[in-house]
Amino acid sequence: MHNPRWRTLLGATLLAAPLLVTTPAHAADAVLDQQVAVPAYFLPSGDTAGFWTQMNTAASKPGVLVANVANGPGDEVKPAYTSALSAAHAAGIKVIGYVDTGYFGTTGLGTRLGSASADDWRAQVQSDVNNWYRFYGSSIDGIFFDQAQNTCGPTAGSQAYANLYREATAYVKKYHPGATTIANPGIAPAACYQDTADILVTFEGPYSAYDVATRPAPYQPQAWEAAYDPQRIWHLVYDVPDATALAKVIARSKANNAGYVYVTDDVLPNPWDRLPPYQAGQVTAAKGSGGTTPATPAKPTASQVKATGLRLSWTSAAYPGVVGYDIYQGSVKIGTEANFTPSATVFDVAGLSPATAYTFTVKARDKAGKVSAASQALTVTTAAASASAPTVPGTPVVSDVGPTSVKLTWAAATDADSGDYVAFYDVYRNGVRELSLPGTLTSVTLGGLTPNTSYGFTVRARDTTDRASAQTATVSATTTNPAPITNPTAAVSNGNAVYTATFNLPYTQRHVFIDTDANYQTGWSVNQIGAEFMIENNTLFQKAGASTDWSWSQVPGVSPLVSTDNGRYQWSVPLSVLTGSGNVQKVVFHGTDGSRNDYLPAVTLTTS
């Protein structure tokens, strides 16, 4: 069984952003306090287990790590991750679960079920969020939204794309108060993204790009970054060769107002699959110094009090001593707000319950990380729920039943209260809430199911005040149970080796292992062949290093994936690239979702 290799954080081609514009002056003696945030895309077992031990036990620990089991949480609990994430959380590291958003399909990327619909991406994102907390519970401190859009919407004036990330953050925070959300556009997004997540990755790229002062659009930074709370900006820089270059990157990231940073000497195709040798040094270098403990902020006031949310306001401190404020709901930190210009500062609180008393305080923070005492507490009682609940939606109807998914459709509910309406539909699977969809939707494709398994589904409606209808009657469905991979072929066409197979399950990775010398004793040993080459999704790799190591180098200039149609995948690779000692290939098709691994027997291809 091979050792899975996860994708880099950013799945698109926009990899780099340049040096930011000069930030406004702060207190002269204050050096920005940063936290090292590690994309921990390495297994907590086998050869890479030591990296987890290093993070969890070192004197110089990172502040944040992003865990990625299978480009998400996978479909089942992994005991090795249970132990590693629990140890990291207990060590004071904030553990963030990876969730792929695929730009919500706006660039044509499909979900694990192959759909590029934003509605289907929403369902997959919510299910992945649920699984992180369902599998690893209190060890999870938040969610990382990868492959995030960077433009506001499809047309001028639209914020449709940004709203999808606001909605995803709101979903996490409603059901997990105090959770941290991170969105990764990989470059500085438009200013409309400032409130879409708690932290934004505004640079992901190589040292060579980070060390350049000016670059053409779209890699230029956005002006809003210089006046943003540094605790809401994260920079990721790879291919940083040594400690001298590390020092330059840390200094530049501080000047660029990035409160989170990660630097590694690792390189593409996956620069996040190990810790760098200077890991302890970068944690030390990231620390701040100087500064002055800010004065205690004034007591906040509340306005726009509704059943599920309100607005907090307070007078900000004199600039430039205070760069940000931390907002607490009871003892839980629920967000931060920048303070780069003296003004009336506001913070919108959402996800509250009707007719419930809440207590809020505010703390001021300077550039060096010094934090004031809490303000006087403000207690606010939210408004009551509406007079009447929505009507019960129609009993859902099941269609498009597959091995891991079903489609549900229901008749819309209504709400009789003046000015109120159905804001959400909550979809339940076997009595457990699985999705919370906008009230404009009356159908959903629900994935993440197990083949040949019976499920019961219900739906309820919820209005703007969180008042909910009763659940519908239960509808049952049993998923199908096809053979995992079928119809494998390998042929020669116009000087290319063409590989085709039908993948009947929604794998996160589809592999074609290619033995070019028909010798199982050379290359990577897999299912009775020795593979010198491997196709992983749409990337061709050649075996590197010792035969027993999962080590591969990307073959440049080849994009092997030709087509996908209803699970039928076809790859084409020039024979001139597939160097070997014979004219016979042995080919093994493989699919994995991080939990299961399915292989077909080898297919033989004669290349001459």
Side-chain angles (χ1 to χ4, degrees), residues 276-593:
Y278 46 64
Q279 173 67 11
Q282 77 168 308
V283 174
T284 300
K287 295 184 184 301
S289 62
T292 304
T293 301
T296 302
K299 178 180 178 180
T301 60
S303 62
Q304 302 181 28
V305 179
K306 300 178 180 179
T308 60
L310 53 87
R311 170 166 288 182
L312 297 175
S313 303
W314 63 94
T315 302
S316 68
Y319 176 80
V322 174
V323 298
Y325 292 95
D326 300 332
I327 298 92
Y328 287 80
Q329 180 179 309
S331 62
V332 177
K333 181 179 173 181
I334 59 173
T336 70
E337 192 63 40
N339 182 62
F340 276 80
T341 56
S343 62
T345 306
V346 299
F347 182 84
D348 291 322
V349 183
L352 305 179
S353 297
T356 302
Y358 293 92
T359 299
F360 301 96
T361 55
V362 178
K363 296 180 181 180
R365 173 173 27 84
D366 84 338
K367 182 180 180 181
K370 291 182 169 60
V371 180
S372 74
S375 68
Q376 283 186 273
L378 169 71
T379 299
V380 186
T381 299
T382 51
S386 59
S388 57
T391 60
V392 180
T395 300
V397 175
V398 174
S399 61
D400 298 345
V401 179
T404 64
S405 64
V406 299
K407 183 176 181 179
L408 303 175
T409 305
W410 57 90
T414 58
D415 193 287
D417 295 314
S418 177
D420 201 5
Y421 57 88
V422 175
F424 302 97
Y425 287 106
D426 297 328
V427 179
Y428 288 77
R429 183 184 74 184
N430 293 342
V432 177
R433 182 195 54 77
E434 184 65 21
L435 303 173
S436 292
L437 305 174
T440 54
L441 299 181
T442 54
S443 68
V444 66
T445 297
L446 181 61
L449 308 180
T450 302
N452 196 32
T453 302
S454 180
Y455 294 91
F457 302 99
T458 59
V459 178
R460 72 171 186 177
R462 213 164 16 98
D463 67 16
T464 60
T465 70
D466 241 15
R467 184 150 187 164
S469 73
Q471 294 184 37
T472 65
T474 300
V475 62
S476 297
T478 300
T479 51
T480 60
N481 190 31
I485 309 173
T486 55
N487 304 318
T489 66
V492 174
S493 176
N494 298 322
N496 296 318
V498 180
Y499 311 107
T500 309
T502 300
F503 293 79
N504 297 309
L505 298 178
Y507 301 105
T508 56
Q509 293 176 323
R510 298 164 184 85
H511 291 114
V512 183
F513 292 101
I514 307 164
D515 181 346
T516 55
D517 61 6
N519 183 350
Y520 74 92
Q521 294 181 319
T522 61
W524 176 254
S525 180
V526 54
N527 213 31
Q528 300 182 354
I529 72 168
E532 281 75 35
F533 291 86
M534 172 189 69
I535 300 172
E536 182 176 81
N537 296 336
N538 192 27
T539 305
L540 177 66
F541 296 93
Q542 186 169 13
K543 184 71 181 73
S547 61
T548 55
D549 295 338
W550 178 259
S551 54
W552 302 82
S553 60
Q554 184 174 348
V555 178
V558 180
S559 296
L561 185 61
V562 175
S563 64
T564 63
D565 181 20
N566 197 29
R568 185 72 170 165
Y569 283 72
Q570 184 174 96
W571 295 270
S572 179
V573 180
L575 286 172
S576 58
V577 173
L578 300 172
T579 56
S581 60
N583 60 2
V584 175
Q585 292 182 5
K586 297 287 187 178
V587 181
V588 167
F589 294 91
H590 165 251
T592 181
D593 60 5

Side-chain angles (χ1 to χ4, degrees), residues 88-294:
H89 181 82
I93 302 172
K94 187 173 288 188
V95 177
I96 308 296
Y98 176 103
V99 170
D100 182 13
T101 70
Y103 311 102
F104 278 97
T106 57
T107 66
L109 288 180
T111 64
R112 289 188 289 271
L113 296 172
S115 170
S117 160
D119 293 335
D120 289 340
W121 270 107
R122 176 192 290 109
Q124 179 173 294
V125 165
Q126 290 190 10
S127 291
D128 281 358
V129 170
N130 297 342
N131 281 344
W132 276 113
Y133 285 95
R134 186 177 295 147
F135 295 163
Y136 304 106
S138 60
S139 294
I140 300 301
D141 299 297
I143 297 296
F144 179 94
F145 296 120
D146 195 20
Q147 300 205 105
Q149 257 286 2
N150 59 70
T151 58
C152 299
T155 58
S158 169
Q159 292 205 14
Y161 296 165
N163 286 338
L164 290 167
Y165 291 92
R166 293 188 182 102
E167 180 187 321
T169 282
Y171 178 84
V172 173
K173 290 180 176 291
K174 176 174 177 59
Y175 296 107
H176 307 283
T180 296
T181 59
I182 305 172
N184 179 25
I187 62 171
C192 61
Y193 278 82
Q194 291 179 71
D195 64 347
T196 59
D198 294 313
I199 302 170
L200 294 172
V201 177
T202 64
F203 181 95
E204 180 187 7
Y207 175 57
S208 58
Y210 201 64
D211 203 34
V212 174
T214 58
R215 291 181 68 87
Y219 303 102
Q220 289 289 341
Q222 299 288 330
W224 60 263
E225 289 183 86
Y228 204 44
D229 184 347
Q231 285 200 0
R232 301 185 71 173
I233 296 176
W234 181 9
H235 287 178
L236 289 155
V237 190
Y238 56 82
D239 199 11
V240 181
D242 51 33
T244 300
L246 164 69
K248 291 180 180 179
V249 171
I250 293 295
R252 189 176 295 273
S253 67
K254 288 179 183 289
N256 287 356
N257 200 38
Y260 293 88
V261 67
Y262 180 68
V263 185
T264 181
D265 64 336
D266 207 352
V267 296
L268 291 173
N270 183 6
W272 323 120
D273 59 4
R274 61 173 174 82
L275 291 179
Y278 46 64
Q279 173 67 11
Q282 77 168 308
V283 174
T284 300
K287 295 184 184 301
S289 62
T292 304
T293 301

